[in-house]
Amino acid sequence: MLTIEAIPAFDDNYIWCVYHSVSKQALVVDPGEAQPVLDFLQQRQLNLSHILITHHHYDHVNGLALLKSHYHAQVYGPHNPFINGIDYYLKAGDRIELLNSSFEILEVPGHTLDHIAYFSPDLNSSDLKSTGLKNTGQPNQPRVFCGDTLFAGGCGRIFEGNPAMLQQSLAQLAQLPAETLVYCAHEYTLANLAFAQALEPSNSALEVRIVADSSKRQAGQPTVPSSLALELATNPFLRCQSPELIRSAEQYSGRSGLNRGDTFAVIRDWKNHF
Ligand SMILES: [Zn+2]
C-alpha cells in the first residue's frame, strides 16, 4: 500500500514522503534537511530509494548529501549544475516511473529559473492512503508536487524569473485536472488566505476555506495538500480575471485598466509588503 506523509522541517517546510508499506521503498521530495527524514525513515523502517528535487534553494536540497551517504538513493532534479548530487536531470515532458507510479515533469520557472514540478496522473491508484492528513481525497486522484511555485492559497516569491514567467507557470499547473491534489513545500496557507481576503472580500469560497484551514491548524494538522479546484476558487494568483480582485489591484497601484498580466504583477508585488 502506498502512503503519503508530510515530514515537517525547518519552521514551515514539508518534505513529502511517498512510501510502499510492503516493500518498504520510499521517495522524498525536496529534503532541505536530512535529520527529520532519517528519523522518519528509521521509525517506519523504510529504505529511501529515490529523491525528487524541484529547485535549487537550500531548504529543498541541503539534506541531499547526508541522505545519499546513508542510502543508495537515486536523485532526480532540474538541469542545474549548481545542485550537487543529482543523478538524473529532468526536463519538460520527461516521464519517470518510481514505486510503480509515473511522474510527468513540468517546467515551471518564475520562483527560480530551474523550477520543475512532478505530476502523477494516477499515483499507484489501487491502494494509496494518506496518514496524518484529513481530506486527502480518493486513492486514484492525480497529484502534483510543485515545490515553491503554487502554494495553498498563494504562490512563491519571484527570485529569478519575472511576473509573466511565473504567471505562465501557474497557468500550466492550473490546466491539470481540477481534482489534482496540490502538494506544495511550505505551510504558508493562513497568511496567504488573509492576503487573498484583502483582495476579494466578497469571495464566499474563500471565507469557507479560511474557517476550514484555520481549524486544521488549530488541531495541529497541515492544510496541505489542497486541491486544484479549491485553488482555482480561492487563490488570488489564479484569479486575475476576478473583477473584484482587479479593482483591488487598481486601487493599490493607483492605475486603471489593468489586464491579467498587470494584475498578477501588482498583486505579486503587493504580497511582498502585506
Ligand atoms: Zn524556493
Side-chain angles (χ1 to χ4, degrees):
M1 177 175 283
L2 268 189
T3 303
I4 303 182
E5 287 190 70
I7 305 172
F10 303 107
D11 289 337
D12 49 34
N13 283 64
Y14 291 136
I15 300 168
W16 292 103
C17 182
V18 182
Y19 62 91
H20 197 274
S21 52
V22 176
S23 73
K24 299 290 183 184
Q25 296 296 301
L27 69 81
V28 293
V29 185
D30 285 352
E33 275 189 299
Q35 198 57 51
V37 178
L38 292 170
D39 294 344
F40 180 92
L41 296 171
Q42 197 176 24
Q43 279 163 14
R44 288 162 183 73
Q45 298 188 303
L46 300 171
N47 177 41
L48 184 65
S49 53
H50 301 93
I51 299 172
L52 309 182
I53 299 296
T54 63
H55 67 295
H56 69 84
H57 281 159
Y58 80 96
D59 61 326
H60 298 251
V61 303
N62 267 17
L64 269 182
L66 198 53
L67 289 174
K68 283 187 94 172
S69 75
H70 281 74
Y71 296 94
H72 294 292
Q74 296 179 324
V75 182
Y76 295 79
H79 205 294
N80 182 344
F82 294 103
I83 305 174
N84 287 321
I86 289 184
D87 301 306
Y88 299 98
Y89 290 123
L90 300 171
K91 61 181 187 312
D94 284 348
R95 178 192 288 258
I96 53 178
E97 302 281 336
L98 307 174
L99 303 181
N100 298 321
S101 302
S102 69
F103 295 84
E104 297 167 13
I105 310 309
L106 308 171
E107 288 181 4
V108 285
H111 172 69
T112 61
L113 293 178
D114 65 351
H115 208 304
I116 60 174
Y118 298 83
F119 172 65
S120 184
D122 201 1
L123 192 54
N124 201 7
S125 64
S126 57
D127 52 17
L128 188 137
K129 70 165 188 170
S130 291
T131 63
L133 302 168
K134 280 188 175 173
N135 304 319
T136 47
Q138 300 304 309
N140 58 353
Q141 272 184 286
R143 289 164 163 84
V144 67
F145 297 90
C146 54
D148 290 353
T149 301
L150 176 63
F151 284 135
C155 72
R157 279 176 191 251
I158 297 169
F159 285 105
E160 297 171 8
N162 58 53
M165 189 186 279
L166 182 57
Q167 189 174 31
Q168 172 56 35
S169 293
L170 294 175
Q172 205 188 144
L173 293 170
Q175 283 167 8
L176 296 173
E179 67 271 24
T180 302
L181 295 179
V182 178
Y183 291 80
C184 61
H186 288 275
E187 179 63 62
Y188 291 158
T189 313
L190 294 185
N192 286 338
L193 295 179
F195 178 63
Q197 199 169 39
L199 299 176
E200 279 194 292
S202 311
N203 183 338
S204 55
L206 186 53
E207 227 167 284
V208 171
R209 182 177 188 181
I210 289 171
V211 171
D213 281 349
S214 298
S215 61
K216 279 184 196 167
R217 294 308 294 148
Q218 277 162 16
Q221 293 169 353
T223 60
V224 185
S226 64
S227 71
L228 195 52
L230 184 60
E231 296 307 325
L232 289 167
T234 57
N235 187 325
F237 296 97
L238 301 181
R239 297 181 53 76
C240 289
Q241 80 292 356
S242 152
E244 184 178 39
L245 190 149
I246 294 168
R247 274 198 307 279
S248 296
E250 288 179 344
Q251 269 172 6
Y252 176 79
S253 64
R255 295 158 60 193
S256 58
L258 297 184
N259 65 25
R260 273 191 190 205
D262 300 330
T263 301
F264 183 88
V266 166
I267 68 169
R268 185 49 272 181
D269 178 64
W270 183 358
K271 178 66 170 60
N272 296 341
H273 310 289
F274 186 75

